[in-house]
Amino acid sequence: MPYFDTASAAPLHPVARQALLAALDEGWADPARLYREGRRARLLLDAAREAAAEAVGCRPDELVFTSSGTTAVHAGIAGALSGRRRVGRHLALSAVEHSSVLHSAAAHEAAGGSFTEVPVERSGAVDPAAYAGALRADTALACLQSANHEVGTEQPVAEVAALCAEAGVPLLVDAAQSLGWGPVAGRWSLLTASAHKWGGPAGVGLLAVRKGVRFAPQGPAGERESGRAPGFENLPAIVAAAASLRAVREEAAAEAVRLRALVGRIRSVVAGRVGDVEVVGDPERRLPHLVTFSCLYVDGETLLHELDRHGFSVSSGSSCTSSTLEPSHVLKAMGVLSEGNVRVSLPMGTAEADVDRFLDVLPGLVAEVRERLGAPVSAPPSPAPAASLVVDALGRRCPIPVIELAKVIGEVPVGATVTVLADDEAARLDIPAWCEMREQEYVGEEPADRGSAYVVRRLS
């Protein structure tokens, strides 16, 4: 069964498994003790730290191991903000950061601080000049991911890091999605990552803090990991994480070329065979193994279930797959279609035949889902002129509001409008996206007794 969701968690690398089993026998003792077993554990921990630091591109004494990537992010942000509290309490971050960064920003604001979200372009990347514009005299910390976890777009980290350095602001880089593929370029100040993203065991994160960065660990003090990650080290998992990071780095160059070609095929074939689809993210500056696309008139949850039934494990940023009914904050910030969203992220070693079978199966499944929902199968015929219409889609989840709009847009004359009443949050993103794809005019959103009224003018 092809597993195509390595952006969530990569399968355990064989080297990680071997290292884990060996360390369970040799690394169970307390590395802080001076007796034989403790010294052996300390040697393993030091070797793991050196290997991880080499992969990150920092000094071993600048890197600590945490209990997860999320913990690393929370500790890194809190420690840097506290260490620079005399400068101010302002935090800058991009609008497409991982939820762990957004949650840290919300907690910081609740405690009296402030933050600015830098918008992104439709590709999902920030404009370095726009990011520099968010830096203020009281900015204590800036955050920017190395590559996006949902659409794969690589961020201009080196350019932003240079601008932050010029402004005297440390930059924290969330490198969870990219570290397995190579080091992060630029003059970053702090870096976080998570082992289960590159084939290491879950429950191991990395936090690197460059020398000279003011940093004050928060919470109760601990004696281990320089006081930045309290608690007893999970030494077998740490050893496995460092060993697998070194192993995947040795494979990364060749696999990146191969997987980039497979992803390029998915991007082109999906756009050619499926129809009414938007492939999102930067087509060039992207992770080699990840592609995301959104299908009009498709319930994302149903499509994921159908793909799973046919043996493919993929994920989605569509609100149709979320109990909150909120579309992905990443897709929302990009202003792209969210309904029927599919993220494919290929693990190293993915067989070309599995990708071919996915591309053979997908178009038929999309067509089946659209047929069940009563979606239009072709462009509507040119009708006789009619008055502007109002479509009541209140109480109906995506993609129904957009499907209903598509059904009736041809019933009004060119220049007339269709107003869609909807209370699904996804409509705020998907109706404008549909208009761009269909070259119709999105007039705007108006208040309504329930939900909102989305007004579309027919242009052709």
Side-chain angles (χ1 to χ4, degrees), residues 23-46:
L24 286 172
D25 291 332
E26 298 294 329
W28 50 267
D30 186 347
R33 300 307 172 205
L34 299 180
Y35 42 70
R36 180 180 60 256
E37 294 85 356
R39 294 196 304 272
R40 185 185 302 129
R42 169 56 65 180
L43 288 173
L44 289 173
L45 180 58
D46 289 346

Side-chain angles (χ1 to χ4, degrees), residues 7-76:
S8 293
L12 192 66
H13 194 282
V15 168
R17 185 181 301 276
Q18 294 169 5
L20 180 64
L21 293 175
L24 286 172
D25 291 332
E26 298 294 329
W28 50 267
D30 186 347
R33 300 307 172 205
L34 299 180
Y35 42 70
R36 180 180 60 256
E37 294 85 356
R39 294 196 304 272
R40 185 185 302 129
R42 169 56 65 180
L43 288 173
L44 289 173
L45 180 58
D46 289 346
R49 197 184 313 279
E50 290 177 7
E54 181 182 4
V56 168
C58 67
R59 293 169 32 165
D61 60 351
E62 293 174 331
L63 184 144
V64 299
F65 295 105
T66 68
S67 59
S68 69
T70 294
T71 300
V73 167
H74 292 171

